[in-house]
Amino acid sequence: MSKFYITTPLYYVNDEPHIGHAYTTILADVIARIKKLQDNDVYFLTGTDEHGQKVQEAAKKRNVQPKEHVDEYVKRFKATWENLNIDYDYFIRTTDKNHTERVKQILADLYKKGDIYFDEYEGLYSVSEERFITEKEKEEGNFRQIKKIKEKNYFFKMSKYQSNLIKHIESNENFILPKSRRNEILGFLKNDLNDLCISRPKSRLAWGIELPFDKEYVTYVWFDALINYISAIGYNNDNEKFNYYWPADYHLMAKDILTTHCVYWPTMLMSCNISLPNTIFAHGWWLMDNTKMSKSLGNVVKPLDLADKYGSDALRYYLMRNMVLGQDASFTIESFKKRYNSDLANDYGNLVNRIFILISKHFENSIPEKGKYDLDDNDFIKNIENLTNLSTQNYSNIKIHDGIENTISIFRTVNKFLEDKAPWKTIKENKNIAGTTIYLSAEALRIGTVLLYPIIPEKSKKILNAMDCCPKDDTTFGFLKENSSINVIKNIFPRIED
Ligand code: MSP
């Protein structure tokens, strides 16, 4: 058994979770479930980023203390993940004592080592992104609420590690994925790196982890939050656990936080003499009317509203199927309904109905015995096997949308097979032939349902249970037991009518 450690970003608790947060978290959950089915020892980490200016401002707006605010909002994230069937192993909050202690310890170590120093700095500061930016970054136009700040602060010697970072990226092809993001970071690293300002004076921002060597300052929220990936698994606390799970196999996120993860984080790790994560994977954005969905733009869709109305599996399915990993995708209610009706209600749901009805009507609720295969049957099996292999391969390469499409093709192939073979007609002349057709169709349905389990765990389990099977079952053709009994289930994906 090998370990597999996967993380999501820690979401700011300045507002409610939205579809964008749900996407990354569901994606991590899907990958974690795939790895668990393959018998890996999976550790799936998510959580909340609770310090910093954004959170302090959100609390101020509500007229409550920051701690009271985060305690209340963290519940909304946890409730959302529960409703979306997110099976994480650990939920970390950056206000947890275990985390704050680790951050202080690292700060103290790096200060002692000379990698953190005190200096006065005058520069451009983006309030929305909570970081100092360069003139060039300002010109590129991706930062908002920019002001000029002159301040005494503590700095991390990020520049010291620039050439080692470049070497690491160049010699590890999968360190930053997709490839386009890797090139983006290598391009960024062609310019000299500035050192990283890692403190904020308390006079400007009080809500943070106090620096262990200066009571007048708190830690910059990113320097604090990134450390979660190691504090959560026992760094400097439970060495056995830490050595087992680290390095992380996947840090998942969207492209908005690529630099912090691909530049700040690896250089911080280098300074601590800790190995780097295996893969940092940045997906695209969910857009609403061609702009990024974000809390500050006020154009968010609340995932719970959709999940409440149509079920968590429907939302999980849509998000996983409609985003080509690495690219942006547009969220619309119309595309959600269209996808649900065509794939889940029509191709899949109708097939489930058809097969269960045929078995209950003609075979007294038990899987028919298979007879001799004819040429069409052999072709059908080959097709299903090919699609199964493709789907499994795509899942392994994190091409989830392609893997899903292969699985839906399995269902389309079965629907066509049933139409061609028309067992409802042949049953009158030859029950054995009809039984073979139905067995083969039920078996392909079972395989497709096992493949969809990581995406739609609730419905998939329900269908498999009704066939006396389970998600961990083999996907090789012929695994389905003849004469095993079924429980008829009806209308598993009811059509969404306008
Ligand atoms: N707190 C930092 C992350 C610290 S990690 C050590 C942060 N938080 S956030 O709440 O803004 O979350 C950003 C992440 O949420 C993105 O990287 C992505 O995973 C997810 N998304 C937020 N909006 C999104 C879209 N519109 N589309 C896709 N994912 C989005 O940054």
Side-chain angles (χ1 to χ4, degrees):
M1 191 186 265
S2 52
K3 68 90 191 175
F4 183 81
Y5 178 30
I6 184 163
T7 68
T8 72
L10 298 194
Y11 306 110
Y12 288 126
V13 279
N14 54 343
D15 210 339
E16 313 253 340
H18 63 68
I19 288 280
H21 307 127
Y23 175 75
T24 315
T25 314
I26 293 170
L27 179 62
D29 184 65
V30 167
I31 299 172
R33 285 177 192 266
I34 292 171
K35 293 287 176 183
K36 276 180 197 162
L37 287 179
Q38 294 166 350
D39 267 341
N40 290 284
D41 185 359
V42 174
Y43 198 82
F44 165 17
L45 175 73
T46 190
T48 40
D49 193 348
E50 305 192 353
H51 292 124
Q53 201 155 324
K54 283 178 203 248
V55 176
Q56 179 175 281
E57 273 166 18
K60 200 171 157 203
K61 243 190 214 158
R62 297 178 58 230
N63 239 335
V64 296
Q65 288 303 310
K67 183 70 173 96
E68 193 181 333
H69 171 85
V70 296
D71 285 348
E72 195 184 318
Y73 271 70
V74 74
K75 288 188 197 140
R76 305 187 191 198
F77 277 83
K78 285 189 173 170
T80 305
W81 302 155
E82 195 178 331
N83 277 293
L84 294 179
N85 233 326
I86 305 295
D87 189 17
Y88 54 76
D89 292 287
Y90 189 58
F91 189 104
I92 188 170
R93 302 178 57 183
T94 53
T95 50
D96 290 341
K97 188 152 182 275
N98 173 55
H99 173 76
T100 57
E101 293 291 308
R102 297 290 87 70
V103 172
K104 284 184 185 171
Q105 209 172 346
I106 289 176
L107 283 163
D109 289 349
L110 301 194
Y111 187 59
K112 204 166 144 206
K113 182 179 174 180
D115 270 3
I116 289 176
Y117 62 91
F118 195 52
D119 198 8
E120 185 168 58
Y121 183 77
E122 184 172 8
L124 299 171
Y125 188 78
S126 159
V127 179
S128 62
E129 297 304 312
E130 291 195 51
R131 72 170 175 99
F132 285 97
I133 58 168
T134 58
E135 277 292 346
K136 191 161 177 277
E137 282 176 318
K138 183 189 171 195
E139 279 158 27
E140 280 162 4
N142 295 324
F143 293 89
R144 284 170 292 121
Q145 296 171 275
I146 300 169
K147 39 184 187 184
K148 208 164 200 170
I149 288 188
K150 186 175 178 182
E151 219 168 59
K152 280 193 168 157
N153 265 309
Y154 287 87
F155 290 83
F156 164 58
K157 282 190 185 164
M158 193 155 75
S159 56
K160 178 175 159 188
Y161 299 97
Q162 177 164 8
S163 61
N164 276 350
L165 177 61
I166 295 173
K167 266 186 228 145
H168 186 86
I169 299 173
E170 281 174 343
S171 50
N172 290 278
E173 252 195 338
N174 293 332
F175 179 56
I176 302 171
L177 288 176
K179 227 179 168 172
S180 54
R181 302 285 164 222
R182 178 174 181 257
N183 295 339
E184 205 176 300
I185 291 294
L186 282 172
F188 175 80
L189 288 170
K190 284 206 171 108
N191 301 313
D192 283 345
L193 266 186
N194 291 328
D195 287 342
L196 180 67
C197 176
I198 54 108
S199 64
R200 297 293 181 263
K202 277 192 186 167
S203 53
R204 182 151 71 81
L205 172 72
W207 181 235
I209 302 175
E210 191 179 280
L211 293 186
F213 40 80
D214 193 334
K215 283 189 171 17
E216 298 304 313
Y217 288 85
V218 295
T219 314
Y220 169 44
V221 67
W222 271 102
F223 198 90
D224 154 3
L226 286 162
I227 290 174
N228 92 88
Y229 299 131
I230 55 175
S231 70
I233 51 163
Y235 177 66
N236 253 340
N237 187 26
D238 179 347
N239 286 339
E240 203 180 317
K241 185 173 176 187
F242 177 71
N243 290 331
Y244 178 67
Y245 284 114
W246 191 258
D249 294 272
Y250 270 92
H251 284 324
L252 282 186
M253 70 213 61
K255 59 187 178 182
D256 50 341
I257 52 178
L258 193 69
T259 317
T260 46
H261 280 81
C262 298
V263 180
Y264 299 7
W265 180 225
T267 51
M268 285 163 67
L269 287 167
M270 283 175 176
S271 174
C272 297
N273 285 322
I274 301 172
S275 58
L276 304 193
N278 291 339
T279 296
I280 297 168
F281 192 105
H283 58 74
W285 282 335
W286 280 96
L287 308 174
M288 284 284 272
D289 305 324
N290 290 327
T291 38
K292 179 181 177 242
M293 197 185 290
S294 89
K295 286 172 289 205
S296 45
L297 295 173
N299 62 350
V300 300
V301 176
K302 288 190 195 161
L304 274 191
D305 293 352
L306 278 177
D308 282 350
K309 210 161 166 190
Y310 305 108
S312 65
D313 280 349
L315 179 64
R316 290 173 64 107
Y317 184 84
Y318 169 78
L319 292 179
M320 291 302 109
R321 175 62 188 84
N322 272 40
M323 181 176 268
V324 177
L325 219 62
Q327 297 175 18
D328 291 345
S330 269
F331 182 93
T332 61
I333 289 289
E334 292 69 38
S335 67
F336 170 81
K337 289 183 181 168
K338 202 169 151 201
R339 178 60 74 188
Y340 175 96
N341 279 339
S342 72
D343 290 14
L344 295 179
N346 279 4
D347 292 333
Y348 191 21
N350 282 343
L351 180 67
V352 175
N353 287 347
R354 246 174 164 181
I355 291 180
F356 276 80
I357 289 170
L358 281 167
I359 297 176
S360 85
K361 202 165 162 196
H362 303 293
F363 292 90
E364 290 158 10
N365 286 350
S366 67
I367 303 285
E369 287 179 12
K370 50 189 188 231
K372 239 179 154 274
Y373 297 155
D374 63 20
L375 280 179
D376 295 337
D377 297 338
N378 283 325
D379 275 353
F380 172 77
I381 296 172
K382 219 183 253 163
N383 270 340
I384 301 298
E385 284 176 342
N386 280 342
L387 287 166
T388 306
N389 289 339
L390 273 179
S391 173
T392 313
Q393 264 169 33
N394 278 322
Y395 282 157
S396 295
N397 297 330
I398 320 290
K399 288 186 172 168
I400 307 295
H401 62 284
D402 284 335
I404 296 176
E405 184 52 26
N406 303 138
T407 309
I408 296 297
S409 290
I410 292 184
F411 302 140
R412 289 192 199 116
T413 308
V414 187
N415 276 321
K416 167 103 186 13
F417 181 65
L418 279 171
E419 263 144 47
D420 293 346
K421 291 272 186 174
W424 45 90
K425 282 189 197 150
T426 47
I427 191 100
K428 290 172 203 141
E429 302 122 39
N430 190 331
K431 197 165 178 181
N432 193 258
I433 290 182
T436 305
T437 305
I438 296 169
Y439 173 88
L440 295 177
S441 303
E443 174 56 333
L445 171 70
R446 179 194 71 83
I447 292 170
T449 306
V450 170
L451 291 171
L452 278 188
Y453 165 78
I455 326 287
I456 50 166
E458 196 184 315
K459 293 286 169 87
S460 157
K461 226 185 208 163
K462 205 165 169 183
I463 298 168
L464 290 168
N465 282 344
M467 298 175 88
D468 201 18
C469 297
C470 74
K472 240 187 148 341
D473 284 347
D474 217 300
T475 48
T476 23
F477 212 101
F479 187 90
L480 183 65
K481 284 193 213 77
E482 296 159 303
N483 298 316
S484 62
S485 53
I486 60 150
N487 289 316
V488 178
I489 43 171
K490 281 186 195 134
N491 212 6
I492 193 110
F493 295 107
R495 245 191 109 71
I496 300 176
E497 305 296 347
D498 276 327

